[in-house]
Structure formats: C-alpha cells, structure tokens
C-alpha cells in the first residue's frame, strides 16, 4: 500500500498564509504525480494544484498567483504554500498521488485523509 499523511492545516485570518505538507510512504516504486484537492461544504471536490515527477505544474484559476505547489521527490513529499488566503479557500484539503508500487506494472490513485483549512474574514 501507499499511505499519504497531510499536515499543516488550521485556522488563519484572511490575507494570511499556510503551508501544507503531504508525505507518501509504503512500498513505492515511483510517483508520477502528486496533487492537492479541496472540498468546501456543499461543493464539489476540485483540483487546487498538481505537480508531476518532472516538475510540471498546473493550478486552479482561483489560486493562481497565490498558491505554489512543490515536491521533494527524494522524500516523496509534496507541499502547498498558500499565501493571501481568502475565506473562499476554506475547505478540506486532500493529498493525492498517482504511484506505482513495487512489483506492479500499473499506476494507481491514492488519497490522504485530508486536513481542514479555515480562513476567517
């Protein structure tokens, strides 16, 4: 199995910053991509940011210029630096990885449990 553990969520005032971390562990052979998703109450889960093993990134339009995703491939860890936070950023942020385990030929999707981010106005 591959396990993802998020940390860094919390309560912050509008305009503040948070840094989320997600560490992947287990019998990992390779990770093709890691990403952050979020889901606000009553809304669909949405992609916030994504990064591939080669460093390519993409962001939701709503967070461009404010959030930065980065990855430490050696540590199988992904980060999300969130600046200029808005109340609309409130939600449960979940880590995602597309990875291959040892002895498996195909990539599979893995999800963390999520961490709450609350931005007060």
């Amino acid at each position: 199995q591959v396990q993802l553990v998020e940390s860094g969520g919390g309560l912050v005032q509008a305009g503040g910053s948070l840094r989320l971390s997600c560490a992947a562990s287990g019998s990992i052979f390779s990770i093709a991509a890691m990403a952050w998703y979020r889901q606000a109450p009553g809304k669909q889960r949405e992609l916030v940011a994504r990064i591939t093993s080669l460093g390519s990134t993409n962001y939701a339009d709503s967070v461009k210029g404010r959030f930065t995703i980065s990855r430490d491939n050696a540590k199988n860890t992904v980060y999300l630096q969130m600046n200029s936070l808005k109340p609309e950023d409130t939600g449960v942020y979940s880590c995602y990885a597309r990875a291959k385990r040892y002895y498996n030929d195909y990539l599979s999707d893995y999800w963390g449990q999520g961490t709450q981010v609350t931005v007060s106005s």
Side-chain angles (χ1 to χ4, degrees):
Q1 292 184 341
V2 175
Q3 299 179 26
L4 305 178
V5 179
E6 303 103 330
S7 63
L11 175 64
V12 65
Q13 294 182 1
S17 299
L18 285 174
R19 189 191 191 209
L20 305 182
S21 299
C22 173
S25 62
S27 55
I28 301 169
F29 178 77
S30 63
I31 298 177
M34 299 187 76
W36 289 97
Y37 288 77
R38 70 185 180 190
Q39 186 170 25
K43 295 186 177 181
Q44 298 286 336
R45 184 177 63 188
E46 65 173 342
L47 174 67
V48 178
R50 178 179 180 269
I51 186 168
T52 71
S53 61
L54 297 179
S56 299
T57 60
N58 58 283
Y59 298 88
D61 289 340
S62 60
V63 307
K64 286 181 179 177
R66 300 188 297 119
F67 291 9
T68 302
I69 189 170
S70 61
R71 179 180 176 182
D72 186 335
N73 289 343
K75 297 180 179 179
N76 290 331
T77 300
V78 66
Y79 307 93
L80 185 66
Q81 179 65 46
M82 304 185 293
N83 298 326
S84 302
L85 283 163
K86 304 175 181 179
E88 304 92 275
D89 296 319
T90 294
V92 176
Y93 285 68
S94 299
C95 182
Y96 161 89
R98 187 158 178 80
K100 181 186 295 185
R101 297 179 64 193
Y102 289 114
Y103 313 116
N104 289 335
D105 292 333
Y106 296 97
L107 295 164
S108 297
D109 297 331
Y110 301 92
W111 292 90
Q113 292 295 319
T115 184
Q116 177 70 41
V117 172
T118 303
V119 183
S120 62
S121 60

